[in-house]
Amino acid sequence: MVTHPSYLFGLFPDKLPRFSGLWAIALGVLAALGFAPLGLWPVALIAAGFVIRLFALAQTRRQAAWLGWLFGLGHFTFGNNWIATAFTFQTEMPEVLGWFAVPLIGVYLGVYPMLAAFVTRWIAGRGFGLGFVLVFAGAWVVSEWMRSWAFTGYSWNPFAMTLLSGFERPGLAALAPWMGTYALSGLAMLLAGALILLLSERRVVLSGAVAALLALGMYAPAPAPREGTLALTIAQPDIRQPTLTNPAYFEANFRRLAELSPRLEEADETPRLVLWPESGMVDYLREGYPQRYYNRTTALGSPVFARRRLGRVVGEGSVLLTGAVDLEIGSVDGRERAIGARNAVTALNAEGQILDGYNKAHLVPYGEYLPMREILEPFGLSRLVAGSIDFWPGPGPRTLDLGAHGQAGIQICYEIVFSGKVTQDGVRPDYIFNPSNDGWFGAFGPPQHLAQARMRAIEEGLPVLRATTTGISAVIDARGVVRDHLGHQVRDRIDTFVPPAHAPTLFARLGNGLGLFWAVIFLITGCVAMRRRAR
């Protein structure tokens, strides 16, 4: 017999339930179901609301922090399950390490929900009310912002991604231009907690109204699109990971990309942008390296020939932006050799001239470089990306002036997930090019990557153009709507026009300072609500 106020099958007891730690882990997993490709946002919000209630019912701050860490362990372990697949595409380490790496990431990332829960209990005390939920929303904003830069940062799957709807509409993510991603995550937590609070207080009609408004916001149609004038071709060659790094397939891989990038008709004078993915071009395109490097990979051993044949492929009127690798050459024991590499994008015209380039700034630890190499390498640990030298970071976001082909912002692969870090200060691009190789990441990684590119488009008010080796390539307009896309493991191309940019959004002007402003608003409003309740 239930002896405490409760209803709905005892879902809302006034004390912490038994096995609360297991509940916290399970709720973390359920909250991750809101991310792509599943997109079960109602489940995610309900789970998040219930875990906020667990934090409020905990006996002490320490217990609340422990429950926060367990929630994060379940949440980030499930949400990052695709990382284990990456270990199956390398030979330096046992594949089974991938299944240890994923929960270890959860062990670390769980620290951030732990901090949010602890700070909330420190400020709001015990007791589940609107003030507690508001304070937690503010603490969550700060914790996600910290996660984006601490220890090089890992901002994959902020909770705001649960508010992003299907390809045809942005959902409640349409609020991102006025909030930014991390504040939108706080809003998601506020909505989740408020819904469970209303249900726990038996305000069924009001909670139903909130749920209906949520559904209306998630499924509201996007405004009518605007059309662009710059022609665009995106090539997705569907080059699988085993053949991507195999020299026996280099020329065949090039021909695949060339076939997907046909020349314009001679009578067509419209400028065209041609986009190739990260890892799509193995030829070294820049001069000045020892000849032995060109002989291994580059067409006829000549970077000049390699560039000119690329120009002939795309033809007059076109500019090619392609992923490439550049080398850093130094002297080692009196011999010139590569001492570092750059994950690069190179812009070429029809004559094979290099117009400009960009070097990836935010590299993936353990993917593109091995931290503490001198300590870890003797234990058999290595990078997931093939090669014995580390990639070096570039200086940061840049806008490339391509003349009639627009002002191009470049964000290579993983860089696109960092809110507020995707455009060069003071030089706003017309679009962001996001080349990627998502062939490492199984079924969950590519749609999650695409979703985060959509969020950057919404908050910056800029179209994002994705070219990937195996999918998902896409044209995303400045509202976050996917205009065209190529699915996973499809060989095809997109021929369309670059969507126009919007005027700079509030977030584009203020950056993550806007999100922290909202965090302060949540915290102050929460404190006011607690004070009024105490009277």
Side-chain angles (χ1 to χ4, degrees), residues 180-204:
T181 295
Y182 306 133
L184 191 63
S185 292
L187 178 63
M189 285 295 179
L190 172 58
L191 293 170
L195 184 61
I196 297 304
L197 175 64
L198 290 171
L199 286 172
S200 68
E201 293 178 348
R202 307 191 185 194
R203 300 184 184 183
V204 178

Side-chain angles (χ1 to χ4, degrees), residues 396-475:
R398 278 197 64 210
T399 298
L400 311 185
D401 186 353
L402 303 179
H405 297 81
Q407 303 277 327
I410 313 292
Q411 290 289 285
I412 299 176
C413 195
Y414 168 73
E415 290 183 303
I416 199 69
V417 308
F418 291 93
S419 175
K421 303 293 183 182
V422 298
T423 60
Q424 182 179 350
D425 291 341
V427 190
R428 181 172 169 83
D430 298 317
Y431 53 85
I432 296 173
F433 173 40
N434 176 221
S436 186
N437 172 18
D438 291 352
W440 298 84
F441 302 136
F444 274 64
Q448 290 180 7
H449 205 175
L450 172 65
Q452 288 167 106
R454 291 180 64 196
M455 191 67 82
R456 295 296 83 72
I458 298 168
E459 65 183 6
E460 295 286 347
L462 292 171
V464 175
L465 315 173
R466 301 197 78 231
T468 68
T469 50
T470 59
I472 306 169
S473 300
V475 177

Side-chain angles (χ1 to χ4, degrees), residues 315-518:
E316 289 296 328
S318 297
V319 162
L320 172 67
L321 287 172
T322 180
V325 173
D326 295 341
L327 297 177
E328 293 290 335
I329 303 297
S331 179
V332 179
D333 298 327
R335 187 186 187 204
E336 281 197 325
R337 55 162 290 184
I339 58 174
R342 305 278 190 179
N343 189 346
V345 164
T346 301
L348 300 115
N349 63 14
E351 288 72 43
Q353 298 169 329
I354 293 179
L355 303 177
D356 211 334
Y358 169 81
N359 293 325
K360 186 177 183 182
H362 206 128
L363 301 175
V364 182
Y366 305 99
E368 293 168 308
Y369 69 97
L370 185 64
M372 302 178 293
R373 176 177 288 276
E374 60 281 355
I375 297 174
L376 297 179
E377 202 167 41
F379 290 95
L381 295 178
S382 179
R383 293 189 293 113
L384 293 177
V385 177
S388 59
I389 58 174
D390 285 333
F391 283 85
W392 291 5
R398 278 197 64 210
T399 298
L400 311 185
D401 186 353
L402 303 179
H405 297 81
Q407 303 277 327
I410 313 292
Q411 290 289 285
I412 299 176
C413 195
Y414 168 73
E415 290 183 303
I416 199 69
V417 308
F418 291 93
S419 175
K421 303 293 183 182
V422 298
T423 60
Q424 182 179 350
D425 291 341
V427 190
R428 181 172 169 83
D430 298 317
Y431 53 85
I432 296 173
F433 173 40
N434 176 221
S436 186
N437 172 18
D438 291 352
W440 298 84
F441 302 136
F444 274 64
Q448 290 180 7
H449 205 175
L450 172 65
Q452 288 167 106
R454 291 180 64 196
M455 191 67 82
R456 295 296 83 72
I458 298 168
E459 65 183 6
E460 295 286 347
L462 292 171
V464 175
L465 315 173
R466 301 197 78 231
T468 68
T469 50
T470 59
I472 306 169
S473 300
V475 177
I476 306 164
D477 70 18
R479 306 162 303 156
V481 172
V482 179
R483 296 275 194 96
D484 293 280
H485 76 282
L486 296 172
H488 195 220
Q489 297 183 344
V490 171
R491 179 183 176 184
D492 205 344
R493 73 174 189 263
I494 296 172
D495 290 311
T496 186
F497 292 88
V498 178
H502 289 176
T505 64
L506 185 62
F507 179 83
R509 297 177 187 276
L510 300 179
N512 284 320
L514 177 62
L516 295 176
F517 169 78
W518 277 103

